[in-house]
Each structure stands twice: as C-alpha cells, then as structure tokens.
Amino acid sequence: MNPLLTRDPITGGELIVTRLESPSSGIVIEGRFSLGWIGRLTPEQLAFVELLVKNRGNIQRLAAELDIAYNTARARLDEIVALLGGPPEHEPRLDRRQILDRLAAREISVEEALRLLKGADYEQRK
C-alpha cells in the first residue's frame, strides 16, 4: 500500500478523498471526504506525529529515537502545533546563555532572569 498523500504533488493544494474501499468486505463508499487535520501536514510531519504518539508524548525519547537535539524536536512539534491552529507559546523559550546575555545587557531584572532560568531548567529536565 502506498503512503498517504496529504497535498497535491503538483500545486501543493488540498486533496480530498473520493473513494473508500474495504479490502476484507469489498464495500466501496464514494463521496467527497476531507482529510481533516491530517491533510494539513506533510508526510514528514505525519511520521513525526506518529513517533510522538508511539513515545507517549515524550519529546526526549522522540529526539533520541530520531537522533536529533531536544530543541530541534521541540521546534518541529511547535511548527505542527502552529500549523494546526494550536495556541502559541506564552513566551519564547530561551536557553541559559540567552537569559544571562539579556541580564548582562540589563534588558531584564535579576528576578526575571531567575524566573526564566527556572523555566529553562524545567524544560531541560522534561
């Protein structure tokens, strides 16, 4: 069986399903069916979501399985969430160096830096 195509390979536009068939019973259903949220994702993004579900939502295990950095896996997930219309992050993730650089430049207070560093530590332990 071929993998599911989610976009028109020529124009990149939406595809619709017009025929469903059961190999076991032979029943055929024809009509115009939307791919729903699946139709908005690329095959690569669908594979990513599949692995995420197989790893029970654990991004760290997903990153290890894909042999990519946690931040890369998180960025891919954030792209998918945004594509599906999910809520944006409340504030962008900063790594420790960025937080300390902002503190040194007096862009943020010591209290704000501590709060952000605690958040960065929490994200790294996930």
Side-chain angles (χ1 to χ4, degrees):
M1 201 174 295
N2 295 320
L4 178 66
L5 293 175
T6 57
R7 308 303 295 167
D8 178 330
I10 305 299
T11 67
E14 178 185 11
L15 291 174
I16 58 167
V17 177
T18 58
R19 179 181 166 107
L20 299 170
E21 182 177 343
S22 170
S24 59
S25 70
I27 190 168
V28 173
I29 303 169
E30 294 186 352
R32 294 175 54 88
F33 309 98
S34 168
L35 290 172
W37 65 270
I38 291 173
R40 291 185 246 157
L41 302 180
T42 66
E44 294 79 16
Q45 290 169 327
L46 281 174
F48 182 90
V49 170
E50 178 182 7
L51 283 176
L52 182 63
V53 171
K54 285 180 180 177
N55 283 289
R56 300 183 181 272
N58 186 312
I59 300 171
Q60 233 170 359
R61 279 192 272 164
L62 170 73
E65 187 171 333
L66 292 173
D67 196 27
I68 59 176
Y70 172 89
N71 289 340
T72 302
R74 184 62 195 222
R76 288 184 188 174
L77 178 59
D78 288 344
E79 287 174 11
I80 292 169
V81 168
L83 186 65
L84 297 178
E89 289 293 316
H90 295 294
E91 54 188 66
R93 286 187 170 67
L94 299 173
D95 67 23
R96 294 168 151 293
R97 169 79 4 223
Q98 290 172 314
I99 294 167
L100 294 174
D101 288 346
R102 289 183 64 197
L103 177 62
R106 299 181 190 255
E107 294 175 9
I108 59 174
S109 68
V110 172
E111 293 79 16
E112 177 69 3
L114 287 172
R115 187 184 69 74
L116 291 169
L117 285 169
K118 285 179 185 174
D121 287 342
Y122 175 75
E123 284 299 322
Q124 288 177 353
R125 283 181 292 207
K126 274 188 175 176

